[in-house]
Amino acid sequence: MVLDCFTFSDEHHLLCFSSSFLPEFIDHIHNRTQFVISFDKLLLLVLQLAVLALGEEIAWRAFFQNQLSKYIPIIPTIILTSIIFSLGHFAVGNAVVVSYDIFFIFINSVIYGVIFYKTNNAWISAISHFIANVFSIILISFFIF
């Protein structure tokens, strides 16, 4: 499916850029998530994305980031939490593609960390995480299906 890369959002521009210069990126994302996420059943997919986002936010933000922030300042806490969170999403593949993937996971993790820090509420960071995941799945679906 060919999409016009100039008529959609910034996230879509990122995927267009990715598919143009790193065509393996979309396949990498699909392969990294296919064992966890059911792309064929919409309701199950939404439920999975919600449960995964909430679980990750409880573990990484409400527990790890919250505990670590008792010992070090918040900026290094968010950065360290985001590095470890990103590495937890590592999947074997082309080094450039994997680095690209990990980098954007890191950026998203920093955003979720800031949201949790500002609200002190894992539900809020989980909702933002869920929305980002759903939006990513929608955009990636344009390229896969």
Side-chain angles (χ1 to χ4, degrees):
M1 174 176 209
V2 177
L3 294 173
D4 180 4
C5 289
F6 299 104
T7 60
F8 290 98
S9 67
D10 290 337
E11 289 81 7
H12 184 266
H13 291 287
L14 175 64
L15 285 174
C16 284
F17 175 83
S18 300
S19 65
S20 299
F21 295 101
L22 292 171
E24 304 92 10
F25 180 69
I26 301 301
D27 290 334
H28 172 77
I29 297 295
H30 183 256
N31 291 336
R32 181 172 61 81
T33 59
Q34 72 181 353
F35 74 95
V36 178
I37 298 174
S38 300
F39 287 94
D40 57 338
K41 297 175 184 80
L42 185 60
L43 184 58
L44 181 58
L45 173 63
V46 170
L47 182 61
Q48 287 173 317
L49 291 175
V51 169
L52 291 170
L54 180 60
E56 287 182 341
E57 292 307 308
I58 289 170
W60 289 103
R61 258 49 83 179
F63 179 73
F64 188 80
Q65 178 178 312
N66 209 23
Q67 293 300 311
L68 192 58
S69 69
K70 294 176 182 176
Y71 302 102
I72 61 176
I74 193 61
I75 292 174
T77 294
I78 291 172
I79 291 171
L80 183 57
T81 301
S82 296
I83 289 170
I84 297 169
F85 178 82
S86 301
L87 293 176
H89 288 79
F90 178 83
V92 176
N94 176 307
V96 173
V97 173
V98 171
S99 298
Y100 190 79
D101 185 28
I102 296 297
F103 174 74
F104 285 103
I105 292 169
F106 172 79
I107 297 300
N108 283 336
S109 181
V110 168
I111 293 168
Y112 307 143
V114 170
I115 290 169
F116 178 78
Y117 172 70
K118 294 288 187 181
T119 65
N120 198 33
N121 188 328
W123 284 104
I124 304 290
S125 59
I127 290 168
S128 64
H129 191 153
F130 170 74
I131 291 169
N133 285 349
V134 168
F135 193 68
S136 296
I137 294 296
I138 291 168
L139 290 178
I140 290 170
S141 295
F142 280 120
F143 291 96
I144 293 174
F145 302 112

